[in-house]
Amino acid sequence: MTGDATELEDQIGQWRQYVQRSQTIAPADITEMEDHLRGQIDDLTGTGLAPDEAFLVAVKRMGSVDEISREFAREHAERLWKQLVLTGANGMDSPGIGRNLLAALGFAIAAAVAVKSAATWLDGEVLGRNLALIVLPFVTGYLAWTRRLGLGAIAAVGATYAIAALAMNLYPWSSTVHAPDATTEVLAGTHLPILLWLLAGVAYVGGQWRCHARRMDFIRFTGELVVYLALLALGGIVVTGLTIASFTTLRVTNEDTIASWIIPIGAAGATVIAAWLVEAKQAVVENIAPVLTKVFTPITLLLLIALLAALAVRREFADLDRDLLIIVDLILALVLGLVLYAVSARDPLAAPELFDRLQFVLLVVALATDAVLLVAMITRIADAGFTANKVAALGMNLVLLVNLIGSTRLLARFNRGASPFSALERWQTAYLPVYGLWAAFVVLALPPIFGFA
């Protein structure tokens, strides 16, 4: 196979992978569309066009995938509804989904029992720093089971979990979580979930962590999981409130007793069930998280502009409150999340559009805000010296800054037509391990550096 032919097959493969995200289009329909696409390409190459040029022209003639998906949804509405419920051809009657649901229920029950047992036997401080180690192994285990994770990958994930557990429980922490300033114990506890969630990602991709496409799948999975967890949490709040209100009127219950059982058990089990829901209802018409990005991108842009204006008016950065610095870091993480999930759902072959330019503006404003934040952090450190909290905040700021710079540069090049959209995709997926490495540093190395203070 020649180089041109190999490149053409890669392009067709990317196109098919994108079309498959919309489950309103059946596999047989996708195959028919691909045959039509190949026929168009053959006709165009016969007229003298190069294979890559013929591919782009053929895709343009067929129309955008979103338009095709909407057309299929209109013509096959009954297919959509079958996918939205848990019965029928794509639901509980399906052996694969049935087995996965039983497995999810098993892991969810195990997680609930583990959390309740830990809450019974451990004091609040120990429980707090180990909570991620208690819940996330069951999510990772469920994903490893569904993906048939190999023994080598299981061993690597298990060893990392063991190292993290030993560090969190054998380090001689010298202060409590109730200290007025953030301690190394708190910093380790808040960064631990980041590290462990990337381990869940290794299970999700079936050990193929170096594969760009599988990493992007994990990004989509994470976004959808957050949405489902939020929905389950809202439902849980309503049910818990109604239960407490009902039993209170009967004078036969204690609110503290209900809260001590329902909240920890429900939260632990819901995490696993949310993972199953994402898998069971993956890509029905369009994922939820990327849709929300189009709502919150302009809102976040306005928020950042207002914040940047307020900082410009103030001008004095040295006395900025530490909590504000942390909040701005969280806002910058939100910006990257919005970009990430918009990237995950975008047709990589489509031309630049208005929303791409809006996201570029968002990134530019975020960079300006981050620059102000960085000056404030450096000023505080120059005045008062390094602390564990400042190092953690500064390090996370630099991690976010590098991602922002790379994303802004690549999105600008794409909007100008100087580089393909896939370059931005690959930058985002390649950067994921950086977050894990920084989290591992904060969990394992930062506490001993600062004497576990």
Side-chain angles (χ1 to χ4, degrees):
M1 184 178 290
T2 65
D4 287 345
T6 302
E7 183 178 354
L8 176 61
E9 289 301 319
D10 289 342
Q11 290 175 315
I12 294 176
Q14 291 177 11
W15 174 86
R16 184 183 181 95
Q17 183 182 38
Y18 183 79
V19 176
Q20 286 173 336
R21 296 180 196 170
S22 178
Q23 291 184 354
T24 52
I25 307 177
D29 298 324
I30 297 175
T31 300
E32 182 179 347
M33 291 168 59
E34 182 179 341
D35 289 340
H36 179 63
L37 177 66
R38 290 181 181 275
Q40 290 267 359
I41 293 172
D42 290 340
D43 292 341
L44 291 166
T45 53
T47 64
L49 288 180
D52 57 340
E53 295 172 333
F55 170 79
L56 294 175
V57 174
V59 169
K60 183 68 175 178
R61 287 182 178 178
M62 290 185 67
S64 73
V65 172
D66 290 339
E67 292 173 354
I68 296 171
S69 297
R70 284 191 289 269
E71 184 63 30
F72 270 89
R74 284 192 293 267
E75 294 182 2
H76 303 283
E78 78 289 348
R79 181 187 301 168
L80 171 61
W81 283 107
K82 287 179 182 178
Q83 291 175 339
L84 287 172
V85 297
L86 301 180
T87 58
N90 294 316
M92 283 299 296
D93 296 342
S94 170
I97 290 184
R99 286 194 300 270
N100 287 350
L101 176 57
L102 291 176
L105 290 173
F107 280 102
I109 292 171
V113 171
V115 168
K116 184 57 185 175
S117 300
T120 302
W121 295 102
L122 301 179
D123 62 46
E125 180 183 340
V126 177
L127 178 63
R129 69 168 178 259
N130 282 282
L131 193 57
L133 284 164
I134 297 170
V135 176
L136 289 182
F138 295 99
V139 180
T140 304
Y142 168 70
L143 295 174
W145 185 87
T146 58
R147 293 299 191 275
R148 304 293 188 266
L149 194 63
L151 291 178
I154 291 175
V157 170
T160 308
Y161 262 105
I163 292 171
L166 290 173
M168 295 302 294
N169 292 283
L170 295 182
Y171 275 171
W173 308 110
S174 58
S175 56
T176 70
V177 296
H178 304 294
D181 292 326
T183 65
T184 54
E185 180 182 0
V186 172
L187 292 172
T190 54
H191 284 74
L192 181 62
I194 301 174
L195 174 61
L196 299 186
W197 185 245
L198 289 178
L199 293 180
V202 174
Y204 181 85
V205 302
Q208 302 175 36
W209 187 249
R210 295 183 179 181
C211 176
H212 154 73
R214 299 296 290 138
R215 288 190 193 185
M216 184 55 73
D217 288 341
F218 176 62
I219 290 171
R220 296 187 189 99
F221 170 80
T222 302
E224 296 298 297
L225 182 75
V226 171
V227 173
Y228 278 113
L229 271 177
L231 294 175
L232 290 174
L234 289 174
I237 290 172
V238 171
V239 171
T240 302
L242 291 174
T243 301
I244 292 175
S246 298
F247 285 141
T248 300
T249 59
L250 298 174
R251 300 177 182 178
V252 294
T253 189
N254 186 313
E255 293 183 10
D256 293 335
T257 301
I258 293 178
S260 67
W261 281 88
I262 293 179
I263 293 176
I265 290 177
T271 307
V272 181
I273 296 302
W276 172 79
L277 281 171
V278 176
E279 292 289 272
K281 299 291 121 191
Q282 189 174 24
V284 176
V285 184
E286 190 170 7
N287 290 338
I288 299 174
V291 175
L292 295 178
T293 65
K294 295 196 174 183
V295 176
F296 286 101
T297 291
I299 296 174
T300 306
L301 175 58
L302 294 175
L303 168 65
L304 277 177
I305 291 174
L307 178 60
L308 189 59
L311 290 172
V313 170
R314 179 168 178 169
R315 295 184 181 179
E316 294 295 331
F317 301 146
D319 60 342
L320 286 180
D321 187 79
R322 183 195 65 194
D323 292 338
L324 174 63
L325 304 181
I326 296 174
I327 291 171
V328 174
D329 261 355
L330 293 175
I331 294 174
L332 297 178
L334 172 63
V335 170
L336 285 172
L338 291 172
V339 173
L340 198 59
Y341 293 121
V343 167
S344 73
R346 194 188 190 283
D347 182 352
L349 302 175
E353 55 187 31
L354 178 61
F355 186 71
D356 297 310
R357 294 177 177 85
L358 181 63
Q359 284 209 307
F360 174 72
V361 175
L362 176 65
L363 285 171
V364 170
V365 176
L367 269 177
T369 307
D370 198 13
V372 173
L373 186 68
L374 191 58
V375 171
M377 284 186 175
I378 294 174
T379 303
R380 287 175 63 88
I381 290 173
D383 290 344
F386 284 98
T387 64
N389 187 44
K390 291 175 184 176
V391 170
L394 179 61
M396 179 55 69
N397 184 269
L398 292 175
V399 168
L400 295 172
L401 178 64
V402 172
N403 197 343
L404 283 170
I405 292 173
S407 299
T408 305
R409 172 179 170 274
L410 291 171
L411 191 54
R413 286 178 56 83
F414 170 70
N415 283 327
R416 296 197 312 267
S419 68
F421 190 78
S422 58
L424 179 58
E425 284 187 330
R426 290 186 177 276
W427 166 254
Q428 294 294 351
T429 56
Y431 203 79
L432 282 180
V434 176
Y435 296 107
L437 291 173
W438 175 249
F441 172 80
V442 175
V443 172
L444 301 176
L446 194 66
I449 290 175
F450 284 91
F452 305 99

